Amino acid sequence: MQQMKTSKLTIDRFDLFTIIFDILISILGSLVVNRLIPILKEKFIKAQLWGHDLNKRNSTEIKVAESQGVLAAGIFLILMFIMIAIVFSEHLHPETALLSICCMVLLGFADDVLDLRWSIKLLLPLIASLPLLLVYFANYHSTTIILPKPVRPYLGQQWNLGILYYIYMSMVAVFCTNAINILAGVNGLEVGQSIVIAISILIFNLVELQG
């Protein structure tokens, strides 16, 4: 009994450390990105990666650096690499997810540089999600999804989608990415949508954790 209490106390302390560490490292990453963007802005403009802010007066006279999302993505990946060694346990391996993120960053930057057609842009998230889907297929094989609590009395607790699971996940990657990307350039709307999605995921997880 005493051993179980000690184990639970250790887990609780680890969870608290993880939360505090995540918050601190997120703040650090935000500060670094905010510092890097103005410093490297001219580099992007010099490389012809710029546009005009159409929602402001005299917008044609001011060059706005584009493709600077690669800076935020780079800092995010560095921080995640640090977290692999400090926070993630031996049972959690985010390397495959990070590989997909790296692929998406590379493809997104290529899109900014090459100005790809929308028909090709739609396929980029699908290509980037392949490492995650293939590793999942090779190692886990589970194609069962847990349904949200409000619909469980009507549809059951879980569904086994079979091969449709991989089609569903690939389509989610395509939809989520392009739902935000298609609004890029509209002031506040792109990041606002990301905030709404993040809050909805947080609320969903809190509800599910209630058991």
Side-chain angles (χ1 to χ4, degrees), residues 137 143 160-170:
F137 174 77
T143 55
N160 187 355
L161 300 181
I163 191 64
L164 293 177
Y165 177 86
Y166 299 98
I167 299 175
Y168 163 74
M169 291 304 296
S170 60

Side-chain angles (χ1 to χ4, degrees), residues 37-100:
I37 287 177
I39 292 177
L40 299 178
K41 178 180 67 174
E42 295 301 327
K43 296 285 186 181
F44 283 80
I45 293 177
K46 188 176 180 180
Q48 300 301 314
L49 295 173
W50 58 272
H52 295 298
D53 190 342
L54 301 180
N55 296 315
K56 293 182 180 178
R57 295 179 179 178
N58 302 323
S59 61
T60 57
E61 301 175 5
I62 302 175
K63 294 181 179 180
V64 179
E66 295 183 346
S67 303
Q68 289 193 292
V70 70
L71 298 177
I75 297 300
F76 170 79
L77 289 171
I78 292 173
L79 296 180
M80 288 298 295
F81 296 153
I82 296 173
M83 292 176 68
I84 289 176
I86 298 177
V87 174
F88 291 110
S89 68
E90 60 181 2
H91 302 295
L92 297 175
H93 300 283
E95 295 87 352
T96 307
L98 293 179
L99 178 59
S100 289

Side-chain angles (χ1 to χ4, degrees), residues 99-101 103-105 107 123-132:
L99 178 59
S100 289
I101 294 174
C103 290
M104 196 63 248
V105 172
L107 293 172
L123 297 177
L124 295 182
L126 179 60
I127 297 173
S129 67
L130 284 179
L132 187 62

Side-chain angles (χ1 to χ4, degrees), residues 145-152 155-159 204 208:
I145 61 171
I146 305 299
L147 298 179
K149 284 185 176 180
V151 301
R152 288 178 188 174
L155 302 177
Q157 183 173 357
Q158 59 186 27
W159 283 2
F204 174 80
E208 291 299 316

